[in-house]
Structure formats: C-alpha cells, structure tokens
Coordinates of all heavy atoms in Angstrom, one line a residue:
M2 N 98.5 88.4 114.3 CA 97.1 88.5 114.7 C 96.4 89.6 114.0 O 96.8 90.7 113.9 CB 97.0 88.8 116.3 CG 95.7 88.3 116.9 SD 95.3 86.7 116.9 CE 96.2 86.2 118.5
A3 N 95.2 89.3 113.6 CA 94.4 90.3 112.9 C 92.9 90.2 113.3 O 92.5 89.2 113.9 CB 94.5 90.2 111.4
L4 N 92.2 91.2 113.1 CA 90.7 91.2 113.5 C 89.9 91.0 112.3 O 90.1 91.7 111.3 CB 90.4 92.5 114.2 CG 90.9 92.7 115.6 CD1 90.4 94.0 116.2 CD2 90.6 91.5 116.5
C5 N 88.9 90.1 112.4 CA 87.9 90.0 111.3 C 87.0 91.3 111.3 O 86.5 91.7 112.3 CB 87.0 88.8 111.7 SG 85.6 88.6 110.5
P6 N 87.0 91.9 110.1 CA 86.1 93.1 109.9 C 84.7 92.9 110.1 O 83.9 93.7 110.3 CB 86.5 93.6 108.5 CG 87.0 92.4 107.8 CD 87.6 91.5 108.8
E7 N 84.3 91.6 110.0 CA 82.9 91.2 110.1 C 82.4 91.0 111.5 O 81.4 91.6 112.0 CB 82.6 90.0 109.3 CG 82.5 90.1 107.8 CD 81.4 91.1 107.4 OE1 80.2 90.7 107.7 OE2 81.7 92.1 106.8
C8 N 83.1 90.2 112.3 CA 82.7 89.9 113.6 C 83.8 90.3 114.7 O 83.5 90.0 115.8 CB 82.4 88.4 113.7 SG 83.9 87.3 113.6
E9 N 84.9 90.9 114.2 CA 86.0 91.3 115.1 C 86.6 90.2 115.9 O 87.1 90.5 117.0 CB 85.4 92.4 116.0 CG 85.0 93.7 115.2 CD 84.6 94.9 116.1 OE1 84.5 94.7 117.3 OE2 84.6 96.0 115.5
A10 N 86.4 89.0 115.5 CA 87.2 87.9 116.1 C 88.7 88.1 115.8 O 89.0 88.6 114.7 CB 86.6 86.6 115.6
A11 N 89.4 87.6 116.7 CA 90.9 87.7 116.6 C 91.2 86.5 115.7 O 91.0 85.3 116.0 CB 91.6 87.7 117.9
I12 N 91.9 86.7 114.6 CA 92.3 85.6 113.7 C 93.8 85.5 113.8 O 94.6 86.4 113.7 CB 91.9 85.9 112.2 CG1 90.4 86.1 112.2 CG2 92.4 84.8 111.3 CD1 89.9 86.5 110.8
D13 N 94.2 84.2 114.0 CA 95.7 84.0 114.3 C 96.5 83.9 113.0 O 96.7 82.8 112.5 CB 95.7 82.6 115.0 CG 97.1 82.4 115.6 OD1 97.9 83.4 115.6 OD2 97.4 81.3 115.9
V14 N 96.8 85.1 112.4 CA 97.7 85.1 111.3 C 98.9 85.9 111.6 O 98.8 87.0 112.3 CB 97.0 85.7 110.0 CG1 96.0 84.7 109.5 CG2 96.4 87.0 110.3
E15 N 100.1 85.4 111.2 CA 101.3 86.2 111.5 C 101.7 87.0 110.2 O 101.4 86.5 109.1 CB 102.4 85.2 111.8 CG 102.2 84.3 113.0 CD 102.1 85.2 114.3 OE1 102.8 86.3 114.4 OE2 101.3 84.8 115.1
D16 N 102.3 88.1 110.4 CA 102.5 89.0 109.2 C 103.6 88.4 108.3 O 103.6 88.7 107.1 CB 102.9 90.4 109.6 CG 104.2 90.4 110.6 OD1 104.8 89.3 110.8 OD2 104.5 91.4 111.2
D17 N 104.3 87.4 108.7 CA 105.3 86.8 107.8 C 104.7 85.5 107.2 O 105.4 84.7 106.5 CB 106.6 86.6 108.5 CG 106.5 85.7 109.8 OD1 105.4 85.4 110.2 OD2 107.5 85.4 110.3
E18 N 103.5 85.2 107.6 CA 102.9 84.0 107.1 C 101.9 84.2 105.9 O 101.4 83.2 105.3 CB 102.2 83.2 108.2 CG 103.1 82.5 109.2 CD 102.4 81.8 110.3 OE1 101.1 81.9 110.3 OE2 103.0 81.1 111.1
V19 N 101.5 85.4 105.7 CA 100.5 85.8 104.7 C 101.1 86.8 103.7 O 102.0 87.5 104.0 CB 99.2 86.3 105.3 CG1 98.5 85.2 106.1 CG2 99.5 87.5 106.2
E20 N 100.5 86.8 102.5 CA 100.9 87.8 101.6 C 99.7 88.6 101.2 O 98.5 88.2 101.3 CB 101.3 87.1 100.3 CG 102.5 86.2 100.4 CD 102.9 85.5 99.2 OE1 102.1 85.7 98.2 OE2 103.9 84.8 99.2
E21 N 100.0 89.9 100.8 CA 98.9 90.7 100.3 C 98.2 90.1 99.2 O 98.7 89.5 98.3 CB 99.4 92.0 99.8 CG 99.7 93.0 100.9 CD 100.1 94.4 100.4 OE1 99.7 94.8 99.3 OE2 101.0 95.1 101.0
G22 N 96.8 90.1 99.3 CA 96.0 89.5 98.2 C 95.6 88.1 98.5 O 94.7 87.5 97.9
Q23 N 96.2 87.5 99.5 CA 95.9 86.1 100.0 C 94.4 86.2 100.6 O 94.1 87.2 101.2 CB 96.9 85.7 101.0 CG 96.7 84.2 101.4 CD 97.8 83.7 102.3 OE1 99.0 84.3 102.2 NE2 97.6 82.8 103.1
T24 N 93.7 85.1 100.4 CA 92.4 85.1 101.0 C 92.3 83.9 102.1 O 93.0 83.0 102.0 CB 91.3 84.8 100.0 OG1 91.6 83.6 99.3 CG2 91.3 85.9 98.9
L25 N 91.5 84.2 103.1 CA 91.3 83.2 104.1 C 89.9 83.3 104.6 O 89.2 84.3 104.5 CB 92.4 83.3 105.2 CG 92.6 84.7 105.8 CD1 91.9 85.0 107.0 CD2 94.2 84.9 106.1
D26 N 89.5 82.4 105.4 CA 88.2 82.4 105.9 C 88.2 82.6 107.4 O 89.1 82.1 108.1 CB 87.4 81.0 105.7 CG 87.2 80.7 104.3 OD1 86.9 81.7 103.5 OD2 87.2 79.6 103.9
C27 N 87.3 83.5 107.9 CA 87.2 83.7 109.3 C 86.7 82.4 110.0 O 85.6 82.0 109.6 CB 86.3 84.9 109.6 SG 85.9 85.1 111.4
P28 N 87.4 81.9 111.0 CA 87.0 80.7 111.7 C 85.7 81.0 112.5 O 85.0 80.0 112.9 CB 88.2 80.4 112.5 CG 88.9 81.6 112.7 CD 88.7 82.4 111.5
E29 N 85.5 82.2 112.8 CA 84.3 82.5 113.7 C 83.0 82.7 112.9 O 82.0 82.0 113.2 CB 84.6 83.8 114.5 CG 85.6 83.6 115.5 CD 85.2 82.7 116.6 OE1 84.0 82.6 117.0 OE2 86.0 81.8 117.1
C30 N 83.0 83.5 111.9 CA 81.7 83.8 111.2 C 81.8 83.2 109.7 O 80.8 83.3 109.0 CB 81.5 85.3 111.1 SG 82.7 86.3 110.2
G31 N 82.9 82.8 109.3 CA 83.0 82.2 108.0 C 83.2 83.1 106.8 O 83.1 82.7 105.7
A32 N 83.3 84.4 107.2 CA 83.4 85.4 106.1 C 84.7 85.2 105.3 O 85.7 84.7 105.9 CB 83.5 86.8 106.7
E33 N 84.6 85.4 104.0 CA 85.8 85.3 103.2 C 86.6 86.6 103.3 O 86.1 87.7 102.9 CB 85.4 85.0 101.7 CG 86.5 84.4 100.9 CD 86.1 83.9 99.5 OE1 84.8 84.0 99.3 OE2 86.9 83.7 98.7
L34 N 87.8 86.6 103.7 CA 88.7 87.7 103.9 C 89.9 87.8 103.0 O 90.4 86.8 102.6 CB 89.1 87.7 105.4 CG 88.0 87.5 106.4 CD1 88.6 87.4 107.8 CD2 87.0 88.8 106.4
E35 N 90.2 89.0 102.6 CA 91.4 89.2 101.8 C 92.4 90.0 102.7 O 92.1 91.0 103.3 CB 91.0 90.0 100.5 CG 92.3 90.3 99.7 CD 92.0 91.0 98.4 OE1 90.9 91.5 98.3 OE2 92.8 91.1 97.5
V36 N 93.7 89.6 102.5 CA 94.7 90.3 103.2 C 95.1 91.5 102.4 O 95.5 91.4 101.2 CB 96.1 89.4 103.4 CG1 97.2 90.2 104.0 CG2 95.7 88.1 104.1
V37 N 94.9 92.7 103.0 CA 95.1 93.9 102.2 C 96.4 94.6 102.7 O 96.9 95.5 102.0 CB 94.0 94.9 102.4 CG1 92.7 94.4 101.7 CG2 93.7 95.2 103.8
S38 N 96.9 94.1 103.8 CA 98.2 94.7 104.3 C 98.8 93.6 105.2 O 98.1 92.8 105.8 CB 97.9 96.0 105.0 OG 99.0 96.3 105.8
T39 N 100.2 93.6 105.2 CA 100.8 92.6 106.0 C 101.6 93.1 107.2 O 102.1 92.3 108.0 CB 101.7 91.7 105.1 OG1 102.6 92.6 104.5 CG2 100.9 90.9 104.1
N40 N 101.8 94.4 107.3 CA 102.6 94.9 108.4 C 102.0 96.2 108.9 O 102.4 97.3 108.6 CB 104.0 95.1 107.9 CG 104.9 95.4 109.1 OD1 104.6 95.1 110.3 ND2 106.0 96.1 108.8
P41 N 101.0 96.2 109.8 CA 100.4 94.9 110.4 C 99.4 94.3 109.5 O 99.0 94.9 108.5 CB 99.7 95.5 111.7 CG 99.3 96.8 111.3 CD 100.4 97.3 110.4
V42 N 99.0 93.1 109.8 CA 98.1 92.3 109.0 C 96.7 93.1 109.1 O 96.2 93.3 110.2 CB 97.9 90.9 109.4 CG1 96.9 90.2 108.6 CG2 99.3 90.2 109.4
E43 N 96.2 93.4 107.9 CA 94.8 94.0 107.8 C 94.0 93.2 106.9 O 94.4 92.7 105.8 CB 94.8 95.4 107.3 CG 95.1 96.4 108.4 CD 95.1 97.9 107.9 OE1 94.1 98.1 107.2 OE2 95.9 98.6 108.2
L44 N 92.7 92.9 107.3 CA 91.9 92.0 106.5 C 90.7 92.8 106.0 O 90.1 93.7 106.8 CB 91.4 90.8 107.3 CG 92.5 90.0 107.9 CD1 91.9 89.0 108.8 CD2 93.3 89.4 106.8
N45 N 90.2 92.5 104.8 CA 89.0 93.1 104.3 C 88.0 92.0 103.9 O 88.4 90.9 103.4 CB 89.3 93.9 103.0 CG 89.2 95.4 103.2 OD1 88.9 95.8 104.3 ND2 89.6 96.1 102.2
T46 N 86.7 92.2 104.1 CA 85.8 91.3 103.7 C 85.7 91.3 102.2 O 85.7 92.3 101.6 CB 84.4 91.6 104.3 OG1 84.5 91.8 105.7 CG2 83.3 90.5 104.0
I47 N 85.6 90.2 101.6 CA 85.5 90.1 100.1 C 84.0 90.1 99.8 O 83.2 89.3 100.2 CB 86.1 88.8 99.6 CG1 87.6 88.8 99.8 CG2 85.8 88.7 98.0 CD1 88.3 87.5 99.4
A48 N 83.6 91.2 99.1 CA 82.2 91.4 98.8 C 81.8 90.3 97.7 O 82.5 90.0 96.9 CB 82.0 92.8 98.2
D49 N 80.6 89.9 98.0 CA 80.1 88.9 97.1 C 79.4 89.6 95.9 O 78.3 89.8 95.7 CB 79.0 88.1 97.8 CG 79.2 86.6 97.7 OD1 80.1 86.2 97.0 OD2 78.6 85.8 98.4
E50 N 80.3 89.9 95.0 CA 79.8 90.7 93.8 C 78.9 89.8 92.9 O 79.2 88.6 92.7 CB 81.1 91.2 93.0 CG 81.7 92.3 93.7 CD 82.9 92.8 92.9 OE1 82.8 92.8 91.7 OE2 83.9 93.1 93.5
G51 N 77.9 90.4 92.3 CA 77.1 89.7 91.4 C 75.8 89.3 91.9 O 74.8 89.4 91.3
D52 N 75.7 89.0 93.2 CA 74.5 88.6 93.8 C 73.4 89.6 93.8 O 72.3 89.3 93.3 CB 74.7 88.2 95.3 CG 75.1 86.7 95.4 OD1 75.3 86.1 94.4 OD2 75.3 86.2 96.6
E53 N 73.7 90.9 94.1 CA 72.7 91.9 94.1 C 72.3 92.2 92.7 O 71.1 92.4 92.4 CB 73.3 93.2 94.8 CG 73.3 93.0 96.3 CD 73.9 94.2 96.9 OE1 73.6 95.3 96.4 OE2 74.5 94.1 98.0
E54 N 73.2 92.2 91.8 CA 72.9 92.5 90.4 C 72.0 91.4 89.9 O 71.0 91.8 89.1 CB 74.2 92.6 89.6 CG 74.9 93.9 89.6 CD 76.1 94.0 88.8 OE1 76.1 93.4 87.7 OE2 77.1 94.6 89.3
A55 N 72.2 90.2 90.1 CA 71.4 89.1 89.7 C 69.9 89.3 90.1 O 69.0 89.1 89.4 CB 71.9 87.8 90.1
E56 N 69.8 89.7 91.4 CA 68.5 90.0 91.9 C 67.8 91.2 91.2 O 66.6 91.1 91.0 CB 68.5 90.3 93.4 CG 68.7 88.9 94.2 CD 68.8 89.2 95.7 OE1 68.1 90.1 96.2 OE2 69.6 88.4 96.3
D57 N 68.6 92.1 91.0 CA 68.1 93.4 90.3 C 67.4 93.0 89.0 O 66.4 93.6 88.6 CB 69.2 94.3 90.1 CG 69.0 95.6 90.9 OD1 68.2 95.5 91.9 OD2 69.7 96.6 90.7
E58 N 68.0 92.1 88.2 CA 67.5 91.9 86.9 C 66.1 91.3 86.9 O 65.5 91.3 85.9 CB 68.5 90.9 86.1 CG 69.7 91.7 85.6 CD 70.7 90.7 84.9 OE1 70.2 89.8 84.3 OE2 71.9 90.9 85.1
W59 N 65.8 90.6 87.9 CA 64.5 90.0 87.9 C 63.3 91.0 87.9 O 63.2 91.7 88.8 CB 64.4 89.0 89.1 CG 63.7 87.8 88.7 CD1 64.3 86.7 88.2 CD2 62.3 87.5 88.8 NE1 63.3 85.8 87.9 CE2 62.1 86.2 88.3 CE3 61.2 88.2 89.3 CZ2 60.8 85.7 88.2 CZ3 60.0 87.7 89.3 CH2 59.8 86.4 88.7
Ligands
ZN114 ZN1 84.5 86.8 111.4

C-alpha cells in the first residue's frame, strides 16, 4: 500500500509487485506516478516536463 503524493489516496500496490522506476496511474486523481522505492513503496508524481517551456517560448 502506498499513498498518492498528489491526492493522498491509498493505492493498492504491494512492495513485491512493483519495481523501482515502474510507473502507474493513480486511480483517484489520474496522476502519473513513478515508484521511487519499494520497501516501503514510495511514489513520486512524474512531472510533465516540456509543457511550461513550450508556453514560455511563445
Ligand atoms: Zn492521486
């Protein structure tokens, strides 16, 4: 079990079912999450890189 860093929903992942670097979607808020640690499972939101820069150029 891990918590979504975005909405703090409990996400049902077991530490032996995921690998570091694996990505998954939060079922509650839809955020794209990356597994940064597996014991215990810790999740990070994957930043949408590029979007802000693209706006900047305009
Ligand atoms: Zn979430």
Side-chain angles (χ1 to χ4, degrees):
M2 195 72 84
L4 289 183
C5 171
E7 284 295 301
C8 68
E9 298 191 345
I12 301 177
D13 190 18
V14 289
E15 301 296 329
D16 54 10
D17 58 354
E18 286 180 355
V19 292
E20 296 176 359
E21 277 184 37
Q23 186 174 333
T24 59
L25 46 94
D26 293 328
C27 172
E29 290 295 321
C30 69
E33 202 173 348
L34 307 173
E35 178 179 14
V36 179
V37 292
S38 168
T39 54
N40 189 26
V42 180
E43 274 183 47
L44 303 172
N45 256 356
T46 311
I47 297 177
D49 234 350
E50 285 177 41
D52 272 7
E53 284 178 33
E54 278 180 39
E56 281 177 36
D57 247 12
E58 278 179 37
W59 218 85

